[in-house]
Every structure is written in C-alpha cells, then in structure tokens.
Amino acid sequence: QVQLVESGGGLVQAGGSLRLSCAASGGTWRHYTMGWFRQAPGKEREFVAAISWGGGTTYYASSVKGRFTISRDNSKNTLFLQMNSLKPEDTALYYCAVSGAPMTSKLQDFGSWGQGTQVTVSS
C-alpha cells in the first residue's frame, strides 16, 4: 500500500506561484500513474493533472493547462505540481493520489489519497 504526504501549500497573491510536493512511501510507486486533485469548500473533488509512471505523458484539466506543470522524480519517490499565474479560483485543498490504470483523469481510478495541502490565493 502506497502512503502519500503532500506539502508546499500556502497563502499567495493572485499571479503568484507555488510548488506542491507529494512524497510517496511503500508499494511499487514507480509503476503507478500519479495525479493531483483539488477540492474547494462546498464543491466536489476535481481532477487537476496526471502523469504516467515514466513521466513521459501528462494530462491537465483545461482550467489549469498552460499554468500548472506536473512532474515526478522516481529516484526520490516524489511528485510535484508547479503552479504559476495563480487565480483566486485555484483556492482549494490539493491532494495527490495513485492509479493502477493507464493515463486517466477519473476520480474513481485513483486511490491511496494523501491528507491534502491547502492552497489559498488572495485577490
């Protein structure tokens, strides 16, 4: 079973940047598709970005494409999300998760959720 711990969230002004990290332990983490999701108060959890196990394929939600970059360092068991040009609507609790499926954005395909890291963007 893979355990995931997110970090790097915080308070930033609109237009600013943050880099989220997700440290993985246990299981065969390198063989999984990894993803970032977010959940704002009163809203459902939504897909943000995903990356294949080798890092060669990425996929983004249209709302973040061109502003966010997902990457992974398998040698350090770490997943990243570089977030630039942040907007107030990006405010949410951000989660990382793993999937045994090929590249996917479906919530139900992911498991082993971390506890989340809060991102707050002020206007």
Side-chain angles (χ1 to χ4, degrees):
Q1 184 73 13
V2 178
Q3 290 85 44
L4 304 172
V5 178
E6 303 93 338
S7 62
L11 173 64
V12 64
Q13 289 188 334
S17 298
L18 282 174
R19 190 191 195 201
L20 305 185
S21 298
C22 171
S25 61
T28 52
W29 178 81
R30 292 176 181 81
H31 299 162
Y32 287 109
T33 295
M34 298 290 297
W36 287 99
F37 288 76
R38 66 187 182 185
Q39 188 167 17
K43 295 187 177 181
E44 294 184 351
R45 192 169 299 188
E46 65 175 3
F47 170 78
V48 174
I51 187 167
S52 60
W53 70 270
T57 302
T58 57
Y59 183 64
Y60 297 93
S62 57
S63 59
V64 306
K65 195 171 184 179
R67 300 188 297 122
F68 291 11
T69 302
I70 188 172
S71 61
R72 65 193 294 170
D73 185 341
N74 287 344
S75 67
K76 297 181 179 179
N77 290 353
T78 306
L79 176 72
F80 301 100
L81 185 68
Q82 178 67 43
M83 305 187 296
N84 298 329
S85 303
L86 283 161
K87 304 175 181 180
E89 51 264 43
D90 294 319
T91 295
L93 191 59
Y94 282 71
Y95 299 89
C96 62
V98 299
S99 173
M103 181 58 63
T104 177
S105 61
K106 297 180 180 179
L107 181 67
Q108 60 266 33
D109 289 340
F110 286 86
S112 299
W113 297 91
Q115 83 291 347
T117 185
Q118 179 67 40
V119 172
T120 303
V121 184
S122 63
S123 58

